[in-house]
Amino acid sequence: MSYTETIGSRTYRFADLKTLLAKASPQRSGDQLAGVAAASEEERVAARMALAQVPLRTFLNEALIPYESDEVTRLVIDDHSPQAFAEISHLTVGDFRNWLLSSTTDADALTRIAAGLTPEMVAAVSKLMRNQDLIAAARKRPVITRFRNTVGLPGHMSVRLQPNHPTDDVKGIAASMLDGLMYGCGDAMIGINPASDNLAAITRLLLMIDDFRLRYQVPTQSCVLTHVTNTIAAIEKGAPVDLVFQSIAGTEKANAGFGISLALLQEAYEAGLSLKRGTVGNNLMYFETGQGSALSADAHFGVDQQTCEVRAYAVARKFNPFLVNTVVGFIGPEYLYDGKQITRAGLEDHFCGKLLGVPMGCDICYTNHAEADQDDMDNLLTLLGVAGINFIMGIPGADDVMLNYQSTSFHDALYVRDVLGLRRAPEFEEWLESMQITDARGALLSASPQQPLLEGANDWMGTV
């Protein structure tokens, strides 16, 4: 089915829904690289005007990537709930935007319809929204998950403590981990990107974190971000695996480039559940995504990068994840050129994930060759804090010395919690107070040798 829109004396024609979505996207370098972007701002406006008139039902009948050749499309269609969709089935994309922003649409309403939404519907409505619309609508939709603590409660924001090291030196990682905990970070998880995929090294890191967690009774969860097949092997060897990690994308071919399939993710999910390590819940999958991954794998099939990204959230949703992290500026300026594009993408990803019922966090980041700086990250951090982001990253000095990119620091987390009045996960906050790291309000206390964590740190470091 083709779509048309006339502006003045000029009529724009869009061959199909896939083309219409791509042309309606805000400007970004990845879509220009793929050759799917609007050729002018007028064409972009025309595409948005045409998109606003498309009935939501159309997305159930016109697949962007054929059902027969893509398992992500099959997942989206087969898992769609007509009952959940019924409440909004009469709306166009433009009407849906208005419904989302209505003062009568609340968290209960957004929760009711989630299973009736496809990624393409959600991507479409986001293309009609200003940044403030993305913030306002996402803020209405908390997504709460539990493992050893509770993440995503309204008024709360958690932090993934990311103590990476370029050689996987266990003492170096342990030192960064202690540093982050003393700043009150780590309630989302303690998550390490290993420099190698050596199973023995991965297991050594898991054992180190678990020994520390048990010794100090820390109500958090650990993760070593290795390929899911390594995690399955670690589980089979008896390693203390909490969260199961995998990078995912929005097409079957792009996921094959990561060496995964839906069946493999199901196997990993079941392996993690079999350990029964959660204490307050059993959400245990940790997924990372990023706009541009399908394009970089030549696996986008002409679909714009933001729509591909939202399709990845349908994959994530299938496995009841504890955390989903859009690593928004990590792939580079070829996909998100500058701070403005990174900011927009971060707000889109958070809104779209939350609307689908996914527990979204964001690695607010950029590479050193992008047209962006830390002020851009401050802006996005503040905007996502207002929007109700589930978690952000906590990295020493905001500079990851292993992955070589810029993100957010322990101090950044203190800033956004302070200015927006955000709390940590309640179980973790109680622990911080018991360890004399924070007071009852969650404010940091001055460090002293008598603090339980510091008092025993030297002895524990000696065992690492």
Side-chain angles (χ1 to χ4, degrees), residues 323-327 350 359-363 389-393:
L323 307 169
V324 176
N325 179 26
T326 170
V327 193
H350 177 248
M360 289 303 297
C362 184
D363 190 342
I389 194 82
N390 277 30
F391 70 100
I392 62 167
M393 304 298 109

Side-chain angles (χ1 to χ4, degrees), residues 109-126:
L110 293 176
T111 302
R112 282 196 309 270
I113 68 164
L117 296 174
T118 69
E120 292 82 1
M121 294 176 193
V122 174
V125 75
S126 75

Side-chain angles (χ1 to χ4, degrees), residues 160 189 225 244-246 284-288 323 325 391:
R160 171 191 161 186
M189 70 167 174
L225 282 66
V244 176
F245 164 78
Q246 184 54 51
L284 57 80
M285 299 300 284
Y286 173 54
F287 294 118
E288 288 193 344
L323 307 169
N325 179 26
F391 70 100

Side-chain angles (χ1 to χ4, degrees), residues 287-299:
F287 294 118
E288 288 193 344
T289 67
Q291 290 193 26
S293 58
L295 175 58
S296 66
D298 191 25

